[in-house]
Amino acid sequence: MNVSEEMKENQAVSATIPEPDPKQHYFWGTGRRKTAVARVRLRPGTGKFEINRRPLESYFTEERDRNDCTAPLRATETLGKVDVFVNVKGGGITGQAGAVVLGVARALKKANPQYDAPLRQGGYLTRDAREVERKKYGKAGARRSFQFSKR
């Protein structure tokens, strides 16, 4: 077997999610972005995606945010094969979408460790650690100074 065949074989991930432990019923994943926190529950199913007990389409009105949320499922070819239930709070719309992405990716990895490679390649398992810089005393904001007057 040559190198390219071996790479294709490694990239071909079986798109199966096993049944979770009977005591837990779900695979859990936690995602954070800025001040938003998303708690994600995942189980084999028909493709239902709910955020705060609302369908994905009604919670995130922007197409970009909806695509971001389903990106880890598309990377692992599990879109339509799992049910995803998310509780998200804090932050704004974009921060919440980023938190959901990380939470879904972590839940998928917990469900099937073979998904680690495609999720890492897509950058879905990397926590974006950027936060808002705090305001400093003697300044108008984090770095901006008050207007200077010569006279």
Side-chain angles (χ1 to χ4, degrees), residues 78-127:
T78 53
L79 188 61
K81 298 176 184 174
V82 294
D83 292 339
V84 181
F85 304 97
V86 182
N87 289 327
V88 64
K89 61 183 178 185
I93 300 298
T94 306
Q96 287 187 352
V100 170
V101 170
L102 182 60
V104 169
R106 284 180 173 173
L108 281 168
K109 181 183 171 191
K110 198 175 282 187
N112 190 344
Q114 291 179 330
Y115 292 149
D116 185 66
L119 289 171
R120 238 172 242 297
Q121 260 181 348
Y124 304 119
L125 288 173
T126 305
R127 160 79 157 99

Side-chain angles (χ1 to χ4, degrees), residues 14-93:
S14 63
T16 57
I17 298 280
E19 285 293 325
D21 183 27
K23 294 177 185 173
Q24 294 192 334
H25 305 290
Y26 296 97
F27 294 103
W28 286 84
T30 304
R32 293 183 188 87
R33 171 82 168 89
K34 295 186 176 179
T35 58
V37 179
R39 294 177 302 166
V40 178
R41 296 177 300 157
L42 187 119
R43 70 174 180 204
T46 58
K48 188 187 296 187
F49 202 118
E50 288 185 0
I51 300 177
N52 292 349
R53 298 187 179 188
R54 290 167 48 191
L56 174 69
E57 293 77 24
S58 70
Y59 193 82
F60 287 122
T61 56
E62 294 287 323
E63 186 71 27
R64 167 182 40 94
D65 295 330
R66 289 195 298 262
N67 288 338
D68 285 351
C69 290
T70 57
L73 298 172
R74 277 186 264 115
T76 57
E77 299 171 5
T78 53
L79 188 61
K81 298 176 184 174
V82 294
D83 292 339
V84 181
F85 304 97
V86 182
N87 289 327
V88 64
K89 61 183 178 185
I93 300 298

